[in-house]
Amino acid sequence: MVPTRRSLLSAFLTVPILHQLTIRKALAQSASLELTPACGDDDDLTLAREAGAFYKPNAPLRHELFNDAPAGESITLAGLVLDPDCQPIANSLVEIWHADETGKYDTSGFNLRGHQFTDENGRWWFSTIVPALYPGRTRHYHLRVQRPGGTVLTTQLFFPNEPRNEGDYLYSDDLLLEVSDSADGKFGRFDFVV
Ligand SMILES: [Fe+2]
């Protein structure tokens, strides 16, 4: 039976963090999985990307964004915020903003915009939609990540197997979500190293 997004998220939230880190290190050692940069080296900090024209400060504190665009395809995004030694960082800011199912950003309100702080195990998650393409760009999310007392990392995350990735001037394999299908939408994983 294919799991639901909720069951994938609760698995992510209940698996002991040490186990997650063990899995992560094992994945990083596998030559076939270079999607998520390995921590353990300053060269492996998550890449920065420009904020673009549509960032707005003061996005609300929330995990649930899906109802802002219920015609969109559901996706749950989840991951960790880690330091360069692979240790999870609690209370890190994770902020997201992205286009809707027609490729438009909400510039008058805060639809599909939100922020949260990682839990005691460095975990973050959002329930939202898969953004549509808009002219000139491949499919992407915008994010800002800041560990307590740290500088802000502004970056973007991308989807695998997107025809426009290759030609996108901001795309990087290092910023690919690990996306799986669930019974009721997609589930995307990404661990930030800051
Ligand atoms: Fe954008």
Side-chain angles (χ1 to χ4, degrees), residues 9 18 21 35 54 64 80 85 100 114 117 125 161 163 178:
L9 179 62
L18 277 176
L21 293 171
L35 299 186
F54 300 112
E64 301 280 353
L80 302 169
D85 295 322
D100 67 12
F117 294 92
W125 63 272
N161 306 315
E178 295 171 19

Side-chain angles (χ1 to χ4, degrees), residues 36-190:
T36 304
C39 37
D41 186 323
D42 283 351
D43 291 343
D44 295 320
L45 296 178
T46 302
L47 291 176
R49 285 292 182 264
E50 64 188 50
F54 300 112
Y55 178 68
K56 272 181 74 170
N58 305 316
L61 175 69
R62 57 183 181 151
H63 289 277
E64 301 280 353
L65 282 63
F66 173 77
N67 288 335
D68 293 349
E73 181 183 7
S74 296
I75 185 168
T76 297
L77 304 172
L80 302 169
V81 175
L82 301 169
D83 72 14
D85 295 322
C86 297
Q87 297 305 303
I89 312 173
N91 296 314
S92 295
L93 171 76
V94 180
E95 178 173 10
I96 192 168
W97 70 102
H98 64 89
D100 67 12
E101 77 281 12
T102 70
K104 298 241 176 6
Y105 288 83
D106 179 11
T107 53
S108 57
F110 289 97
N111 280 346
L112 302 174
R113 298 172 186 270
H115 79 275
Q116 63 192 248
F117 294 92
T118 52
D119 68 10
E120 68 279 9
N121 291 308
R123 294 178 294 214
W124 62 274
W125 63 272
F126 289 102
S127 169
T128 188
I129 65 158
V130 175
L133 295 164
Y134 61 86
R137 293 299 317 277
T138 190
R139 204 178 307 278
H140 64 279
Y141 293 105
H142 294 268
L143 291 110
R144 283 160 45 101
V145 180
Q146 183 180 29
R147 58 190 290 174
T151 55
V152 175
L153 165 72
T154 301
T155 190
Q156 302 187 11
L157 296 180
F158 300 94
F159 286 77
N161 306 315
E162 284 285 338
R164 287 207 208 163
N165 282 350
E166 281 307 307
D168 189 281
Y169 74 116
L170 293 171
Y171 173 79
S172 168
D173 289 345
D174 291 341
L175 296 172
L176 268 180
L177 288 157
E178 295 171 19
V179 178
S180 49
D181 289 318
S182 78
D184 58 352
K186 294 184 182 301
F187 190 84
R189 267 295 308 265
F190 191 86

